[in-house]
Amino acid sequence: MTVTNDLVSYEDALASYDPVMGLEVHVELGTKTKMFCGCSTELGAEPNSQACPTCLGMPGALPVVNAIGVESAIKIGLALHCEIAEWCRFARKNYFYPDMPKNFQTSQYDEPIAFNGYLDVQLDDGEVFRVEIERAHMEEDTGKSLHVGGATGRIHGASHSLLDYNRAGIPLIEIVTKPIEGAGERAPEVAKAYVAELRELIKALGVSEARMEQGQMRCDVNLSLRPHGREKFGTRSETKNVNSLRSVERAARFEIQRHAAVLNDGGTIIQETRHFHEDTGSTTSGRVKEEAEDYRYFPEPDLVPVAPSREWVEELRAGLPEQPLARRNRLREEWGVNAHDMQSMLNAGAIDLIVATIAAGADAASARKWWMGELARAANESGVALDSLAITPEQVARVAALVVEGSLNDKLARQVIDGVVKGEGTPDEVVEKRGLKVVSDEGALTAAVDEAIAGNPGVADKIRGGKVAAVGALVGAVMKATRGQADAARVKELILEKLGVEG
């Protein structure tokens, strides 16, 4: 076997090989209790304060299935156009990890609750790519290891490790695609678009917040290459626990280039798990990947089979929300925006916020402007998600209303938004505290206009001579004198009236 750390260019890799992907996405369900016991799932608790004999695997402790977990799994399966099993079982997946207290994971093996589905995803240029779904099954999460000492936070180089079992038993749904073929050079883009669309679907269903940065949704990227013209798949690698959309795309792209380099050198791809590194966009070897038989699956003897009635399944189907892609296309028509702008709103996490702002009384253009402009900038500067800012859609709608009624101009509105985000109160309270109302007193405006004309006689003469565009300088002088609190349009009207020029 030849080992290489070199990469070939992406273009050269695609000139010789077809990429084949398989994406496994784990979604942490937003239930109040764990999958098989009554322990709380709330984040931020003291380590090992949310654990019991059942989720710690103590002898004699018996699990009970979380009904909301099953319901959530069925909703996800239906939304992915899957068939829902009339009867399915849990299984024990046996393997040892320090953060797996039972030494097995309660999962589903050959009898998943949902199977044979698909999800249509839209790429940046509008092309729709169908990703086939193999299965969606229920399982539980492991605990959390904290490796102390060393520079990387990984076990290598650590002096010791600490274990927190609060997460052990958290309900998960694992969604597994069928092999994704035919994407060619767009394979990394397809991977990113699929995870993005799946995240929107999960959020729309209300079964999880699907925050990738918090580990509520994570993706394993399986990738292999095969020479053009060959049908047999190549050996795959599995890049584990990728936790951002950008990283999913980067991991797929890096592995394409790495695989191609190994194959071009006459080497052999090792079937293994790999770690993705955000700082470099590269992957490194983890462990040799087990096959299914290595896990010694067998039916879970302590849990009865799950047999959802057809009536219940159809009730859940009838209550499904609009598919995110269909919803975005509808909103795009209603808002009169192009596909690129809608994609930008999706990427920013702004669509639901804009919808809520419109529902609170703002027009679509104003809602988009504030969320995608001033508020997106504030979120970027703070390094937080847009919906984590300390401002509500209702408050944004109030700012928009103050602009429409003439109490604020755009400059003042930006200051109001800044005040609300900083916790200074409601929009009206910020206006009052900061003294930000537009100067509407005609006498005060007229005086400021007269002063600007007197102070800039040359500009005034140009305007009288027909160079109306020069009025901007005088408007600027008035705005400066009023600390930006004048209505610029009304100021322009007054200046032209004073100079006897028609606008």
Side-chain angles (χ1 to χ4, degrees):
M1 180 187 71
T2 301
V3 179
T4 179
N5 293 317
D6 296 329
L7 302 179
V8 303
S9 73
Y10 189 70
E11 292 72 20
D12 288 345
L14 272 296
S16 301
Y17 303 100
D18 291 323
V20 179
M21 296 186 300
L23 302 173
E24 302 173 16
V25 175
H26 290 82
V27 177
E28 183 181 290
L29 298 179
T31 57
K32 293 183 178 179
T33 57
K34 294 184 181 181
M35 192 66 197
F36 303 111
C37 68
C39 289
S40 172
T41 59
E42 188 173 352
L43 287 172
E46 287 294 314
N48 297 308
S49 63
Q50 296 174 175
C52 71
T54 299
C55 55
L56 291 176
M58 298 295 185
L62 293 176
V64 177
V65 175
N66 186 321
I68 300 300
V70 175
E71 179 179 293
S72 298
I74 295 172
K75 286 181 177 179
I76 291 172
L78 290 171
L80 291 172
H81 308 96
C82 289
E83 300 176 50
I84 304 300
E86 296 188 14
W87 187 94
C88 62
R89 290 183 295 182
F90 285 97
R92 292 187 178 184
K93 181 181 181 181
N94 295 275
Y95 61 101
F96 173 76
Y97 279 111
D99 53 8
M100 177 69 75
K102 298 184 295 187
N103 283 345
F104 65 84
Q105 180 189 35
T106 305
S107 181
Q108 291 188 300
Y109 174 43
D110 54 350
E111 298 169 315
I113 193 165
F115 53 93
N116 287 342
Y118 67 88
L119 182 64
D120 288 334
V121 302
Q122 191 168 44
L123 306 182
D124 286 345
D125 64 355
E127 179 185 345
V128 175
F129 192 99
R130 175 162 292 185
V131 176
E132 303 283 347
I133 305 297
E134 176 72 35
R135 57 192 279 143
H137 65 260
M138 300 176 286
E139 59 184 27
E140 60 181 339
D141 209 349
T142 63
K144 180 180 179 181
S145 297
L146 177 64
H147 305 299
V148 182
T152 65
R154 299 190 184 279
I155 194 168
H156 301 292
S159 60
H160 61 284
S161 298
L162 301 174
L163 297 174
D164 178 7
Y165 291 121
N166 283 352
R167 291 178 60 86
I170 295 285
L172 294 179
I173 302 298
E174 181 175 356
I175 302 160
V176 182
T177 70
K178 294 180 180 179
I180 301 172
E181 306 176 64
E185 66 179 3
R186 306 192 76 175
E189 184 186 352
V190 168
K192 175 184 176 182
Y194 166 74
V195 178
E197 191 67 22
L198 185 58
R199 182 182 64 176
E200 292 303 304
L201 183 65
I202 296 298
K203 289 164 59 180
L205 292 170
V207 298
S208 173
E209 293 181 347
R211 294 183 182 273
M212 297 187 75
E213 72 280 2
Q214 294 182 7
Q216 295 172 342
M217 181 172 169
R218 50 195 188 267
C219 179
D220 299 340
V221 180
N222 292 268
L223 188 130
S224 66
L225 296 183
R226 61 183 176 190
H228 290 313
R230 184 181 297 180
E231 292 187 11
K232 184 179 179 181
F233 295 159
T235 302
R236 65 186 171 90
S237 61
E238 181 180 12
T239 305
K240 299 287 289 185
N241 295 326
V242 185
N243 64 359
S244 77
L245 299 180
R246 179 170 178 262
S247 295
V248 168
E249 184 174 26
R250 293 172 75 202
R253 188 180 184 94
F254 180 88
E255 282 296 281
I256 289 172
Q257 294 178 263
R258 185 185 69 84
H259 279 226
V262 172
L263 296 173
N264 287 352
D265 284 351
T268 302
I269 301 296
I270 301 172
Q271 184 168 325
E272 62 181 349
T273 64
R274 296 183 67 84
H275 301 297
F276 179 74
H277 302 278
E278 296 278 353
D279 54 346
T280 61
S282 62
T283 69
T284 54
S285 180
R287 58 182 171 83
V288 175
K289 178 64 177 172
E290 296 89 345
E291 298 288 356
E293 55 267 23
D294 296 321
Y295 291 120
R296 305 188 322 280
Y297 283 100
F298 65 87
E300 168 57 71
D302 292 334
L303 288 169
V304 298
V306 176
S309 71
R310 296 302 93 180
E311 292 78 14
W312 185 33
V313 171
E314 292 310 311
E315 284 178 15
L316 294 176
R317 190 194 306 274
L320 292 178
E322 185 179 16
Q323 285 274 326
L325 179 56
R327 178 179 182 241
R328 290 199 305 276
N329 287 336
R330 173 177 59 79
L331 292 175
R332 190 161 68 84
E333 290 292 326
E334 291 178 4
W335 296 349
V337 298
N338 58 39
H340 178 269
D341 288 342
M342 181 58 75
Q343 188 65 41
S344 296
M345 287 182 265
L346 174 64
N347 294 343
I351 293 177
D352 288 342
L353 296 168
I354 292 169
V355 168
T357 304
I358 294 170
D363 64 84
S366 295
R368 292 198 312 274
K369 179 179 76 172
W370 292 118
W371 283 110
M372 292 301 292
E374 191 66 18
L375 288 163
R377 181 192 59 76
N380 288 336
E381 289 179 355
S382 303
V384 300
L386 201 56
D387 61 0
S388 296
L389 291 174
I391 189 168
T392 66
E394 291 76 18
Q395 290 171 330
V396 176
R398 178 56 181 158
V399 172
L402 290 170
V403 173
V404 169
E405 69 184 37
S407 296
L408 297 175
N409 56 31
D410 279 3
K411 180 179 178 181
L412 297 175
R414 285 193 289 271
Q415 295 180 53
V416 172
I417 286 174
D418 177 69
V420 175
V421 170
K422 289 180 176 177
E424 296 175 18
T426 66
D428 292 281
E429 289 169 345
V430 173
V431 168
E432 190 66 30
K433 289 177 183 177
R434 292 195 180 189
L436 295 177
K437 280 191 175 181
V438 166
V439 175
S440 56
D441 183 338
E442 285 283 312
L445 281 181
T446 300
V449 166
D450 288 341
E451 185 177 333
I453 293 173
N456 298 275
V459 176
D461 287 341
K462 286 182 180 180
I463 297 170
R464 291 190 186 94
K467 294 184 178 180
V468 178
V471 74
L474 296 185
V475 171
V478 174
M479 297 302 289
K480 182 178 180 180
T482 59
R483 295 186 302 144
Q485 291 179 242
D487 181 342
R490 180 56 183 151
V491 169
K492 180 180 178 181
E493 290 175 0
L494 287 173
I495 291 170
L496 294 179
E497 287 175 11
K498 288 280 184 180
L499 298 177
V501 176
E502 292 187 4

